[in-house]
Amino acid sequence: MFQVAPTQKLILISGPGGSGKTSLAKWIGDACGYTVVSEDDYWREFKANDPQNGLRTLEEERIIQRRVAAEVRRLLIEGKQVVLEFILYCDPPRPLLAYREALKGTVSDLLVVLLRPSVDAILARKKRRGREQEQDAAAEAAIALSQLNCLDSPHIKKEWIVPNSDRAVSETLDWLARENPGFFA
């Protein structure tokens, strides 16, 4: 296994759909010079020919996670600081556990950020996105609640959870920078 330089940093950002993961990752990339990797990009490509573009099987998860982890590892070896964002939707949090395991030993500094907005904040964000498939408020509230409940997993450390219902993306980044100055210098 390749070892990276001791200054390499990796931020894992996860949370329910609509929690602000992508926005926060992009903000960190722009403001702090991190390379952003979005698991969603890999899923879109992988499921492009799936007429239902539907549920993810465990085997598909493993394939995507291996591809994403390989890309993150490559970027770290190249000397990049990386922020990886992906959705949290199950307990145990398989993607989080898989990335932590796959990238163990390849990065000197790892920060896990799990966003926890309220259901109302998620619904408001999804409404602003305007995606047609996300406009059934009752269905989206049930999904949001289910995904938020995943944050109560025994596999998740409480210090990873960042409440962000009433924070703008810039305020969330400011809070993270105060709490984790070595990642945002």
Side-chain angles (χ1 to χ4, degrees):
M1 177 175 285
F2 292 97
Q3 295 292 322
V4 294
T7 59
Q8 295 316 103
K9 295 177 177 79
L10 172 63
I11 302 172
L12 301 178
I13 298 178
S14 192
S19 62
K21 303 174 301 296
T22 303
S23 297
L24 180 60
K26 287 178 181 175
W27 199 283
I28 290 170
D30 291 343
C32 304
Y34 278 73
T35 300
V36 177
V37 176
S38 174
E39 187 189 70
D40 282 349
D41 294 341
Y42 289 78
W43 279 109
R44 271 190 288 283
E45 180 183 330
F46 189 80
K47 294 283 202 174
N49 296 321
D50 181 349
Q52 297 176 354
N53 199 11
L55 298 176
R56 302 167 178 186
T57 68
L58 290 175
E59 182 55 30
E60 289 173 336
E61 280 185 21
R62 285 190 282 274
I63 291 166
I64 294 298
Q65 290 160 2
R66 281 193 299 267
R67 289 179 184 173
V68 170
E71 175 64 6
V72 169
R73 214 172 2 271
R74 182 187 69 74
L75 291 166
L76 290 166
I77 289 168
E78 287 180 3
K80 308 260 197 263
Q81 315 294 355
V82 179
V83 58
L84 167 60
E85 65 96 0
F86 54 96
I87 192 167
L88 179 71
Y89 55 87
C90 58
D91 183 13
R94 291 186 306 266
L96 175 62
L97 298 174
Y99 291 129
R100 289 187 71 228
E101 181 62 28
L103 298 166
K104 182 172 47 176
T106 61
V107 65
S108 58
D109 292 318
L110 173 66
L111 176 62
V112 176
V113 176
L114 303 177
L115 299 175
R116 182 180 221 140
S118 66
V119 171
D120 289 341
I122 289 172
L123 294 178
R125 288 177 182 139
K126 286 185 171 187
K127 186 172 178 115
R128 280 193 303 271
R129 288 197 300 213
R131 295 180 190 159
E132 189 175 317
Q133 72 273 21
E134 293 180 342
Q135 297 309 307
D136 178 345
E140 290 303 316
I143 291 167
L145 187 57
S146 172
Q147 292 176 350
L148 283 167
N149 286 337
C150 296
L151 290 166
D152 296 326
S153 171
H155 299 280
I156 290 177
K157 296 179 181 179
K158 298 303 177 201
E159 61 266 22
W160 295 344
I161 297 174
V162 177
N164 68 324
S165 292
D166 299 326
R167 289 186 183 133
V169 177
S170 61
E171 294 170 325
T172 301
L173 178 53
D174 289 346
W175 184 88
L176 285 169
R178 282 192 305 276
E179 295 294 314
N180 306 280
F183 278 86
F184 303 99

